[in-house]
Each structure stands twice: as C-alpha cells, then as structure tokens.
Amino acid sequence: MAALSEFSLIERYFKQLTPQREDVLLGIGDDCALLQCPADHVIAVSIDTLVEGIHFFTGVDPESLGHKSLAVGLSDLAAMGATPAWFTLALTLPKLDEDWLHGFSQGLANLAKQYDIQLVGGDTTKGPLAISIQVHGFVEANKAIQRSGAQLGDMIYVSGCLGDAGAALRLQSNQWNDEILNEQDRVYLQQRLEQPNPRVQLGQELVGLACAAIDISDGLLADLGHITEKNGMGARLDLTKLPLSSALSKINQQLAQVFALESGDDYELCFIVPSQHFAEVEQRFKGQVTRIGMITDDDGIYYIDDNDNLIELKGIGYDHFIN
Ligand SMILES: [Mg+2]
C-alpha cells in the first residue's frame, strides 16, 4: 500500500458511500466507532470472510463482489429477524487497483444504502484477495429468531427459489450444462449466484411468527439439519414443493431437486412456523414463501417417494445426475 495509506484508502473509497446514521456517535477516523443501540434492544453480530479462489472466482466483477460481501452478512441478520445498522470491513488486497476498488465500493455501497447500514470502521492489508465484513444489527430483547425453538408438527417454510446459485456455480465451473437453458436463464442464474438478495425485510416480519430460522448458505439439507439437530428433531419434506425458478423448472426435475436440496449460496431463509401462525404466514407472505415440509421426531431428514416409502435425504450427490 505504498500509494495510499490505510486511512486514506478507506476514507477515499468507502467513507462517504454508505448512509450516515444518527445512531453512529463516532464513525470512521478514531480508534473505535461509538454506536448507540436503541433501548430494550440487543445487538446481533455476525462475520463472514470471502477468499478469492475459494468463495469466489478469480476475476469476478468487483461490483458484484462488493454486493455479495455485504449480502452474506445481511442474510445472517435477516435469519435472526434483526434490523441492519452498522458494519466493519477488513480488506486484504494483492495490489492497489483503483478500478477494482471503485467497482467493489460501488457494489458495497448500493446494497448498504438499500438496507441503511453504515460502514463504521475498516482495515486494509496487503496479501491475497480476501474480504471480511462484520455486520451489526439490533433486535428487540428476547425477540430474535434463533435456530432453537422448533417443535413436533411445526411447518417448514423457505423464501424465494432454491438451487439457482448452485446451478450457476456448476455452469461457470463447467461441471454441468444443459442446452435447454437460454441466455436469459443463464444471466438470471449468474445474478442469483453473484448478487444474492438477503431477505432482510421478511426476516424482520417473521419476528413473533417463526419459532426458528436459518439462512440457506450451505444448502437446504445442511442448514435445515442445523435446526433439526439443535432441537433434537427430524423433518419430512415434500420434494415436489421445493420452489424452483423458471430456469430450473426447465431442467431434469430430479437434478433441479438436488440443486435445491444440496447447493449453497442461495441466501434464502428457511424458517419454522408453529400451528397457531400457519394461517397468518400463508396469507401475509403469499407468493414469497413456500411450505416444504414438517418437523417430525424422525432421526434425520426424509421424504416419501411415489411408492409411499420413507427415504432419508442423505448423500444424494450431483454426481449421480451429471454426465
Ligand atoms: Mg447463517
């Protein structure tokens, strides 16, 4: 970082880009930021690191990367029902590339404005490209939606569509292709991978309705598995209910279901609703969420096949369908 000091880099590219909030008593430029949490609320905190070559392809559009780096944290806040407020950024850069920094900061700032989250501190280092963002939000005391809280007979819902990001990842890495996808489908899938929309508003609206929730970063089965294990429960899914985009509805149905079950990076919410709130959830979020199954006392996550057999959803990989 010979040309720009750490201070001036954050100052120059990031400081003015994000919203200026009244609860930031002291922002970038001192040893610490000073932040005011509303009375009777608690702070929800989460950090994620994205490393080049592991979490994103080398050469990915910097604006998309800026968006995604913040989106993954916002998605964690969404899963708790928290309201985004502040974030910090640690950036490791191999070199000072002004064009890259400009694009990255724009992508970051556009999403920050959308969710009124302010950058309140940062650090830059020289090294292989990596981005760490810690997000802070707040939620009324004792109201945060946690992974624990699911009970026998509760219903399992997901937001949006599943499997798009996983399909895009496999298209981009040449692990899979399907001629049936047109250019529009491919652009859509790539956007779902590179610029996910965190379900922040939905998460906040689910406070008091959902008894447990998680964001789908590692795939539905893995993430729902965190909920069932935490609660000592199991689940039964109706695979025909898994919500698929119009792009994934075109491909082999079983493969689309595997993408929806096993691939990560969708950043949709998976949430659990107790019986007294089914009707309200169905009505308020019609078209936004889909009921895909039920919490059971099974040991694991299962589905019922066409011949009424109970089959555990475990270890069906893409390999079975690809090639
Ligand atoms: Mg998460």
Side-chain angles (χ1 to χ4, degrees):
M1 292 303 143
L4 282 176
S5 72
E6 174 188 305
F7 176 73
S8 64
L9 193 152
I10 294 280
E11 281 278 305
R12 180 164 172 186
Y13 289 95
F14 298 100
K15 186 175 177 181
Q16 296 306 325
L17 284 176
T18 62
Q20 305 295 301
R21 294 174 57 98
E22 286 186 357
D23 54 13
V24 176
L25 308 180
L26 190 60
I28 293 170
D30 210 308
D31 293 305
C32 293
L34 298 174
L35 310 168
Q36 183 74 57
C37 181
D40 303 322
H41 286 62
V42 295
I43 298 182
V45 180
S46 176
I47 187 165
D48 278 289
T49 298
L50 302 184
V51 177
E52 183 179 47
I54 295 176
H55 302 99
F56 57 91
F57 290 107
T58 300
V60 71
D61 169 46
E63 197 167 332
S64 295
L65 188 58
H67 174 108
K68 186 161 183 174
S69 301
L70 183 57
V72 298
L74 288 168
S75 180
D76 281 325
L77 292 179
M80 304 292 288
T83 301
W86 319 292
F87 71 102
T88 55
L89 165 70
L91 204 49
T92 307
L93 300 170
K95 62 179 191 301
L96 184 63
D97 177 340
E98 299 220 8
D99 286 343
W100 188 92
L101 274 165
H102 183 73
F104 178 83
S105 59
Q106 280 303 329
L108 192 70
N110 289 340
L111 193 64
K113 281 177 194 148
Q114 193 180 336
Y115 292 107
D116 195 26
I117 186 167
Q118 182 176 344
L119 178 67
V120 294
D123 184 29
T124 53
T125 325
K126 188 169 181 175
L129 181 60
I131 302 126
S132 286
I133 288 186
Q134 183 169 48
V135 293
H136 308 73
F138 48 77
V139 58
E140 240 182 284
N142 303 314
K143 291 282 178 68
I145 311 167
Q146 301 179 33
R147 293 180 183 181
S148 55
Q151 293 187 325
L152 187 65
D154 291 348
M155 291 298 176
I156 304 166
Y157 286 80
V158 292
S159 64
C161 301
L162 301 180
D164 290 333
L169 188 69
R170 277 154 192 86
L171 277 173
Q172 257 183 291
S173 55
N174 293 316
Q175 290 175 337
W176 167 74
N177 202 348
D178 191 328
E179 296 306 320
I180 203 165
L181 297 174
N182 62 30
E183 194 50 35
Q184 202 186 336
D185 297 326
R186 288 165 197 268
V187 168
Y188 163 81
L189 292 173
Q190 185 167 349
Q191 186 167 16
R192 289 274 290 160
L193 173 65
E194 293 188 352
Q195 297 192 23
N197 285 317
R199 302 299 179 189
V200 173
Q201 195 185 344
L202 175 65
Q204 288 171 263
E205 290 179 9
L206 287 173
V207 171
L209 294 174
C211 54
I214 191 165
D215 66 317
I216 304 178
S217 53
D218 297 330
L220 175 65
L221 281 186
D223 290 316
L224 175 60
H226 292 313
I227 289 185
T228 52
E229 279 161 31
K230 189 123 201 166
N231 291 281
M233 289 284 157
R236 288 188 195 183
L237 302 182
D238 182 345
L239 299 189
T240 65
K241 294 276 166 49
L242 293 173
L244 301 175
S245 62
S246 64
L248 284 200
S249 298
K250 293 180 178 180
I251 70 167
N252 173 291
Q253 193 198 10
Q254 279 176 298
L255 178 58
Q257 288 173 352
V258 175
F259 283 146
L261 288 168
E262 297 211 334
S263 58
D265 269 353
D266 281 322
Y267 298 102
E268 296 295 346
L269 296 182
C270 173
F271 58 96
I272 313 300
V273 178
S275 58
Q276 68 266 34
H277 296 311
F278 293 164
E280 186 174 350
V281 166
E282 297 277 344
Q283 196 196 2
R284 263 178 75 177
F285 307 109
K286 200 171 169 55
Q288 278 186 72
V289 307
T290 309
R291 188 165 78 188
I292 58 164
M294 186 190 271
I295 296 291
T296 63
D297 54 8
D298 297 315
D299 181 17
I301 301 175
Y302 292 80
Y303 77 103
I304 297 169
D305 75 2
D306 294 341
N307 302 317
D308 277 346
N309 297 313
L310 193 61
I311 298 181
E312 187 168 12
L313 284 163
K314 199 174 175 182
I316 25 158
Y318 312 97
D319 307 353
H320 182 71
F321 297 96
I322 294 170
N323 298 322

